[in-house]
């Protein structure tokens, strides 16, 4: 919205302008020095407001005029006299022609007896004009004479953009100067280092005083003020490297205005505020404006590298911060965990003229404090590339204890409903890290660490009414402990009791039991107690159990063990060649398939499809 735009405040130079206006009371020659876009024109407007003299500006560089410099100057300094002469001549010529016998429309009748005199006078004027056109170059002599004799009446002549004029125009300006020098104040405006005759110091011979723009218009001053505005507007602190680098490049008022236009365009018109990291977006805008080659590297996703030879050339500016090239290289490689996403993680959002699609931090703050169905849905469905997950991973440590507990409660409840997601796993892992840091959990885990992990989670999960099997399920599902580690702790599990049949995740209870007895995938060693326990599984438990034993697959990988596909299609491996022993074939037809065949046939009647296959991925042909 327009009211959000950053407006550049007027820079008050009234004191310096008044001082310069006072100088113009003397009929001397001045050079107002400043680069293009540094604010000279605005400063002169301030001077004009505070001066008693009439400032007359001529910009020969912008004029597309065939008249000579002398004539243009005369027309500016004496406009009334100049146009009176020109219109008078045109009028007399027109009258003389209309009164001739060739073009006689009766005008002469209005002059009565004065007709012969008027005709003679018109003829003389027409003759003078004709001669004037033939000897046009001589016409400047009249203007030269007039400029040197006529009074100027407190006028000041401003010759603007003097440094941008052609060499010929500058030389003609010097001729003009020789005519009016000492008769009125003259101000040449431009960058004195770019004046054509500066080599032989010619300009210094005609300039009485060189005047610099006030310090308030100096690049370091205008940008420091602007940085303060940006920091207030975006509620951020810009790096000293960025601020010092821009200040050192002498970017002037016009550069600042262009930069601010793009800041308004990207942050407000395109709505990027809150969707991007402010410092990185400002750097990309700066590169777009002043380093187009480097911006093209960003656009093409080409790495920006600072060569050793370049580094040696940067030694003189190390004290004022890194180069823009170095800073751009840094944002390409910076994998910071802040939110919104960094340039490296979300490049498209930072490129100019692109629209944003991610949510702002404020929007996500509100979502996380809502404890709504929408929040639950996001926790379940968001993947690692989503803005929700990136926000969660970057901000979780800043959440209050209450919010962390609420998020963990949501995860526990949804996890038992067979749900799983990167966000759920992250919340679980971070909850563990706050009690037992990752550096204390070096692999392989010691029995002491395993005990600490289980004790921590049992106290939390039992408060959520999870039974023993669900606790095991939760610990393994979220990669807190492997079945091997669970088997080391739960070494006294029993599956031949009535309690087992009432467990809500009998499959994970049995898998932990098998691990504790070192019977994982050793089907020939399973006794009847195990096979009877398997018969107590519901369909989901049955499928996830055999997926864990590598007999059945739904094509969704290990993390998809709880998911039953809509088409209910599964593959049963009747045998396989092992990776570690590619010449050895293991057959499951008798050891497994024959024992679970009745259950498979029952499930097929209920809509499941089981395709029997040999796993030959690691088979070596002989």
């Amino acid at each position: 919205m327009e009211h959000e735009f950053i407006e550049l405040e007027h820079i008050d130079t009234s004191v310096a302008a008044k001082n310069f206006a006072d100088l113009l009371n003397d009929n001397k020659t001045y050079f107002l020095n400043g680069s293009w876009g540094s604010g000279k024109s605005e400063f002169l407007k301030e001077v004009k407001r505070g001066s008693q003299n009439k400032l007359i500006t001529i910009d020969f560089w912008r004029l597309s005029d065939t008249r000579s410099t002398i004539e243009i100057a005369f027309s500016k300094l004496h406009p009334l006299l100049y146009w009176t002469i020109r219109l008078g001549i045109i009028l007399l010529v027109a009258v003389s022609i209309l009164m001739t016998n060739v073009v006689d429309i009766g005008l002469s009748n209005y002059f009565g007896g004065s007709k012969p005199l008027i005709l003679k006078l018109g003829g003389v004027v027409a003759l003078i004009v004709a001669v004037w056109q033939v000897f046009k170059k001589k016409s400047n002599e009249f203007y030269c004479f007039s400029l040197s004799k006529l009074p100027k009446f407190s006028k000041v002549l401003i010759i603007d953009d003097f440094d941008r004029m052609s060499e010929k125009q500058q030389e003609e300006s010097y001729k003009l100067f020789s005519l009016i020098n000492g008769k009125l104040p003259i101000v040449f405006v431009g960058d004195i280092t770019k004046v054509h005759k500066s080599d032989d110091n010619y300009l210094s011979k005609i300039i009485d005083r060189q005047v610099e723009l006030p310090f308030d218009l100096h690049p370091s001053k205008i940008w420091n003020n602007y940085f303060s505005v940006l920091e207030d507007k975006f509620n951020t602190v810009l790096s000293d490297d960025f601020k010092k680098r821009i200040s050192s490049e002498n970017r002037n008022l016009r550069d600042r205005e262009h930069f601010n236009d793009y800041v308004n365009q990207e942050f407000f018109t395109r709505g990027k505020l809150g969707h991007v990291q402010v410092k990185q977006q400002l750097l990309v805008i700066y590169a777009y404006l002043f380093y187009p080659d480097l911006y093209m590297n960003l656009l093409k996703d080409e790495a920006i590298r600072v060569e050793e030879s370049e580094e040696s050339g940067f030694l003189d500016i190390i004290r004022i911060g890194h180069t823009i090239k170095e800073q751009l290289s840094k944002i390409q490689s910076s994998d910071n965990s802040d939110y919104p996403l960094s340039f490296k993680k979300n490049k498209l959002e930072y490129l100019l003229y692109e629209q944003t699609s991610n949510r702002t931090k404020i929007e996500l703050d509100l979502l996380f404090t809502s404890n709504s169905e929408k929040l639950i849905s996001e926790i379940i469905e968001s993947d690692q590339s989503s803005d929700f997950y990136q926000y969660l991973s970057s901000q979780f440590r800043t959440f209050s204890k209450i919010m962390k507990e609420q998020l963990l409660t949501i995860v526990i409840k949804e996890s038992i409903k067979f749900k799983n997601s990167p966000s759920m796993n992250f919340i679980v892992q971070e909850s563990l890290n706050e009690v037992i840091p990752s550096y204390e959990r070096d692999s392989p885990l010691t029995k002491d660490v395993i005990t600490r992990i289980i004790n921590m989670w049992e106290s939390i999960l039992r408060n959520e009414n999870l039974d023993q099997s669900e606790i095991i399920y939760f610990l393994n599902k979220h990669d807190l402990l492997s079945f091997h580690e669970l088997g080391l702790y739960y070494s006294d599990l029993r599956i031949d009791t009535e309690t087992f049949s009432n467990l809500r995740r009998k499959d994970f209870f049995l898998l932990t039991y098998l691990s504790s007895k070192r019977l994982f995938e050793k089907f020939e060693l399973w006794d009847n107690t195990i096979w009877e326990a398997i018969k107590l599984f519901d369909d989901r438990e049955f499928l996830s159990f055999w997926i864990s034993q590598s007999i059945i697959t739904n094509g969704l990988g290990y993390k998809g063990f709880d998911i039953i596909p809509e088409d209910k299609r599964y593959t049963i491996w009747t045998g396989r060649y092992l990776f570690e022993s590619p010449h050895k074939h293991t057959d499951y037809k008798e050891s497994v398939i024959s024992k679970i065949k009745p259950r498979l046939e029952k499930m097929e009647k209920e809509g499941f499809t089981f395709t029997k296959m040999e796993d030959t991925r690691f088979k070596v042909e002989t």
Side-chain angles (χ1 to χ4, degrees):
M1 296 176 63
E2 189 172 351
H3 68 274
E4 295 176 326
F5 287 179
I6 297 174
E7 299 289 344
L8 296 176
E9 294 183 358
H10 172 70
I11 299 175
D12 184 11
T13 57
S14 57
V15 175
K18 182 65 172 63
N19 293 335
F20 186 56
D22 291 341
L23 288 178
L24 300 181
N25 291 326
D26 296 331
N27 292 340
K28 295 183 178 296
T29 305
Y30 306 88
F31 195 101
L32 180 60
N33 185 39
S35 61
W36 185 77
S38 59
K40 299 185 299 296
S41 298
E42 291 300 315
F43 179 67
L44 286 173
K45 289 179 182 178
E46 193 77 48
V47 173
K48 185 178 292 186
R49 284 191 287 268
S51 176
Q52 296 179 350
N53 297 321
K54 182 178 181 181
L55 275 61
I56 299 171
T57 302
I58 304 177
D59 192 343
F60 292 111
W61 179 70
R62 298 182 188 276
L63 288 174
S64 55
D65 201 323
T66 58
R67 295 178 296 169
S68 68
T69 300
I70 304 295
E71 184 177 350
I72 294 172
F74 182 83
S75 69
K76 294 287 186 179
L77 289 170
H78 305 285
L80 182 59
L81 178 58
Y82 176 77
W83 288 108
T84 298
I85 293 172
R86 288 184 69 88
L87 290 174
I89 292 173
I90 293 171
L91 180 61
L92 289 173
V93 171
V95 170
S96 64
I97 292 174
L98 293 173
M99 291 175 64
T100 61
N101 292 328
V102 177
V103 185
D104 189 352
I105 59 174
L107 187 62
S108 59
N109 296 330
Y110 291 97
F111 295 100
S114 302
K115 176 179 178 181
L117 178 61
I118 296 301
L119 288 173
K120 289 178 181 180
L121 181 59
V124 171
V125 172
L127 178 62
I128 293 173
V129 173
V131 172
W132 182 291
Q133 292 298 320
V134 174
F135 300 100
K136 192 169 186 179
K137 290 184 180 179
K138 298 293 183 179
S139 63
N140 269 348
E141 294 181 3
F142 169 76
Y143 295 122
C144 290
F145 175 79
S146 300
L147 284 172
S148 63
K149 299 300 180 182
L150 292 173
K152 306 303 181 290
F153 301 114
S154 300
K155 296 177 181 178
V156 177
L157 181 62
I158 309 291
I159 301 178
D160 203 3
D161 288 325
F162 185 73
D163 56 322
R164 308 181 79 181
M165 292 163 55
S166 67
E167 187 170 357
K168 181 180 179 182
Q169 287 176 318
Q170 287 186 9
E171 290 175 354
E172 290 183 353
S173 296
Y174 294 136
K175 294 178 184 178
L176 171 64
F177 163 79
S178 65
L179 287 173
I180 58 178
N181 181 32
K183 295 180 174 59
L184 79 166
I186 304 172
V187 181
F188 292 93
V189 181
D191 185 347
I192 200 167
T193 63
K194 296 182 179 180
V195 178
H196 292 291
K197 285 189 173 291
S198 59
D199 292 341
D200 59 7
N201 207 26
Y202 178 81
L203 191 63
S204 64
K205 298 174 184 178
I206 65 172
I207 298 298
D208 295 316
R209 293 179 182 175
Q210 179 177 321
V211 180
E212 300 295 330
L213 288 173
F215 183 71
D216 285 336
L217 297 177
H218 191 272
S220 63
K221 180 74 171 178
I222 63 174
W223 281 99
N224 285 335
N225 293 340
Y226 181 63
F227 291 143
S228 297
V229 172
L230 290 179
E231 289 176 332
D232 290 342
K233 185 70 174 179
F234 297 133
N235 192 26
T236 188
V237 177
L238 301 178
S239 69
D240 289 338
D241 286 344
F242 180 73
K243 293 190 286 188
K244 289 177 180 178
R245 180 58 185 170
I246 293 180
S247 297
S248 71
E249 292 188 342
N250 290 321
R251 302 294 179 189
N252 57 35
L253 276 175
R254 195 178 300 273
D255 294 328
R256 190 185 71 161
E257 182 179 347
H258 288 168
F259 182 78
N260 187 62
D261 282 343
Y262 279 97
V263 169
N264 283 329
Q265 169 189 286
E266 296 302 310
F267 282 100
F268 304 118
T269 302
R270 300 195 184 282
K272 290 187 179 181
L273 182 59
H275 298 270
V276 294
Q277 294 180 22
V278 171
K279 301 169 191 176
Q280 293 195 356
Q281 182 65 74
L282 291 174
L283 186 58
V284 172
I285 293 173
Y286 193 80
Y288 178 84
L289 273 176
F290 305 116
Y291 293 89
D293 292 342
L294 295 179
Y295 180 80
M296 290 305 296
N297 290 136
L298 298 178
L299 186 64
K300 297 176 182 178
D301 206 17
E302 296 175 353
I304 296 175
R305 296 184 176 88
V306 180
E307 306 296 337
E308 291 184 5
S309 59
E310 292 178 300
E311 290 176 352
S312 62
F314 296 150
L315 292 178
D316 59 332
I317 62 168
I318 286 179
R319 293 188 302 276
I320 61 172
H322 298 296
T323 65
I324 295 298
K325 192 172 185 179
E326 287 172 323
Q327 292 183 54
L328 291 172
S329 175
K330 185 177 179 180
I331 71 168
Q332 281 187 322
S333 59
S334 175
D335 197 11
N336 65 55
S337 58
D338 295 337
Y339 191 87
L341 303 182
S342 65
F343 177 88
K344 180 182 179 181
K345 293 180 178 178
N346 201 15
K347 183 187 77 170
L348 184 62
E349 306 286 347
Y350 288 83
L351 298 177
L352 271 69
Y353 300 102
E354 296 293 340
Q355 298 289 351
T356 58
S357 58
N358 60 319
R359 285 168 289 188
T360 67
K361 184 177 182 299
I362 294 175
E363 291 173 320
L364 289 166
D365 283 343
L366 292 174
L367 175 62
F368 271 81
T369 56
S370 66
N371 202 23
S372 62
E373 289 297 323
K374 175 64 175 174
L375 174 61
I376 297 173
S377 176
E378 292 271 9
I379 291 174
I380 296 171
E381 298 174 4
S382 58
D383 58 31
Q384 289 178 309
S385 64
S386 67
D387 55 5
F388 180 89
Y389 181 86
Q390 296 298 331
Y391 173 89
L392 174 67
S393 61
S394 65
Q395 301 298 307
F396 186 84
R397 291 175 179 82
T398 68
F399 291 167
S400 67
K401 182 180 179 181
I402 294 176
M403 182 181 291
K404 290 177 181 178
E405 291 175 350
Q406 289 175 342
L407 290 173
L408 183 58
T409 299
I410 291 173
V411 170
I412 293 170
K413 291 180 178 179
E414 296 304 317
S415 182
I416 299 305
K417 298 176 184 177
F418 324 120
K419 304 292 176 47
N420 198 7
S421 74
S423 295
M424 293 171 67
N425 289 330
F426 178 85
I427 293 170
V428 170
Q429 290 294 330
E430 285 301 305
S431 299
L432 174 62
N433 287 337
E434 292 190 349
V435 178
I436 308 174
S438 58
Y439 61 79
E440 295 183 15
R441 309 198 309 269
D442 292 336
S443 183
L445 297 180
T446 64
K447 287 187 177 180
D448 176 62
V449 173
I450 293 173
T451 300
R452 289 173 62 194
I453 293 173
I454 291 178
N455 287 342
M456 169 200 163
W457 284 106
E458 279 196 341
S459 64
I460 295 172
L461 299 176
R462 290 196 187 282
N463 284 337
E464 297 297 329
N465 298 317
L466 272 65
D467 68 20
Q468 185 64 64
S469 68
E470 289 174 315
I471 292 173
I472 292 174
Y473 166 80
F474 187 89
L475 291 170
N476 182 263
K477 176 180 181 177
H478 295 290
D479 296 324
L480 297 170
L481 293 170
S482 66
F483 280 119
H484 171 70
E485 292 159 345
L486 289 166
L488 291 176
Y489 181 83
Y490 294 111
S491 57
D492 57 350
L493 298 180
R494 295 185 61 186
I495 59 174
D496 57 349
T497 65
E498 184 178 346
T499 302
F500 177 79
S501 62
N502 294 323
L503 295 173
R504 292 191 283 268
R505 286 310 301 239
K506 294 181 285 294
D507 51 340
F508 274 75
F509 192 93
L510 179 56
L511 287 166
T512 303
Y513 170 84
L514 292 174
S515 178
S516 69
K517 305 301 181 184
R518 299 183 181 181
L519 294 174
F520 232 73
E521 297 184 9
K522 296 179 181 179
F523 310 116
E524 299 86 353
L525 302 179
W526 291 5
D527 59 25
N528 191 56
T529 305
I530 296 173
W531 292 107
E532 289 299 318
I534 293 173
K535 291 179 180 179
L536 298 174
F537 291 164
D538 62 24
D539 289 347
R540 190 183 300 274
E541 291 171 326
F542 177 85
L543 293 167
S544 72
F545 176 84
W546 289 114
I547 287 174
S548 297
Q549 291 296 300
S550 303
I551 296 298
I552 293 178
T553 179
N554 58 4
L556 300 177
Y558 174 71
K559 289 297 182 182
F561 65 87
D562 255 346
I563 301 174
I564 298 177
E566 290 186 10
D567 58 8
K568 296 185 177 182
R569 289 184 175 276
Y570 287 80
T571 298
I572 297 179
W573 303 113
T574 58
R576 64 164 43 91
Y577 293 84
L578 302 180
F579 175 76
E580 58 272 18
S581 302
H583 293 285
K584 182 180 178 182
H585 179 266
T586 302
D587 192 294
Y588 301 129
K589 293 186 184 70
E590 293 299 324
S591 60
V592 178
I593 308 302
S594 62
K595 293 182 172 59
I596 63 174
K597 183 178 179 182
R599 180 62 177 271
L600 295 175
E601 291 175 345
K602 177 177 179 295
M603 293 176 68
E604 284 179 332
K605 292 178 181 179
E606 296 170 354
F608 287 89
T609 301
F610 298 100
T611 303
K612 296 182 176 62
M613 292 181 64
E614 281 275 335
D615 187 353
T616 59
R617 289 175 297 169
F618 306 115
K619 180 180 180 181
V620 176
E621 299 293 340
T622 57

